[in-house]
Structure formats: structure tokens, C-alpha cells
Amino acid sequence: MENTKAQDKKRRLEGVVVSAKMKKTRVVEVVRLKKHSKYLKYYKLSHRFKAHDEEEKYGLGDKVVIEETRPISKEKRWIIIAKI
């Protein structure tokens, strides 16, 4: 059995659940700091990911860890693996 590098390195991100209105899906907002190339100041970038939550146990405002996975639906490519 072969282990490819893609299987070994799944991206993991930390974020906050900002929406729990869909069945088995949570919207997780990930905020990161980026340094401006010219002015060398840091600014915030946020990105929202739709993440799968099979048991619907994560609610609004929870800090969670999401992990990249195979496509589950049109926009869902992440699953929630833990609460922080």
C-alpha cells in the first residue's frame, strides 16, 4: 500500500463557528494576520469555510479545528475535528 504525500499532509486551520443554520454544516471563519510588503504592518484577513459536522454538536461561537478532506458537496471540503 502506497502512502502519498497528499494523504500525510492535510491542512488544519483554527477558526470560529459563525453560522449553524444548515443541517450537518457549519460556517467557520478563519482569521489570519498578514504583513504588508511595503509598509510592514500587519492586517487581518478572514476567510469563511463550510465544514461538515455530522453530529451537529458545534454551535455558534465555538472555537474549532477544521481539516481538509475530499469534496462532500459543492462547497464543502472541510470537516470539523475538534473543539478548542
Side-chain angles (χ1 to χ4, degrees):
M1 190 186 267
E2 293 181 24
N3 281 340
T4 61
K5 288 187 180 183
Q7 288 175 342
D8 296 337
K9 285 196 169 188
K10 290 185 178 181
R11 293 193 316 173
R12 286 188 176 187
L13 301 172
E14 292 181 8
V16 178
V17 177
V18 292
S19 175
K21 295 179 181 178
M22 296 171 273
K23 289 183 182 175
K24 297 185 180 180
T25 303
R26 302 291 177 256
V27 179
V28 178
E29 187 173 50
V30 176
V31 178
R32 69 183 185 105
L33 290 175
K34 187 174 180 183
K35 194 174 193 178
H36 193 280
S37 58
K38 181 178 180 180
Y39 299 113
L40 305 178
K41 284 194 152 197
Y42 287 95
Y43 58 97
K44 287 183 183 179
L45 288 176
S46 64
H47 197 279
R48 289 177 172 217
F49 297 99
K50 288 188 176 70
H52 188 67
D53 178 17
E54 184 66 39
E55 291 134 19
E56 299 185 12
K57 61 181 178 179
Y58 302 103
L60 201 62
D62 289 347
K63 286 191 77 174
V64 294
V65 177
I66 59 174
E67 184 177 72
E68 198 171 30
T69 185
R70 63 178 177 79
I72 298 170
S73 68
K74 181 182 174 184
E75 296 179 337
K76 246 195 306 189
R77 275 107 174 98
W78 297 84
I79 55 170
I80 299 177
I81 57 170
K83 185 176 178 179
I84 301 174

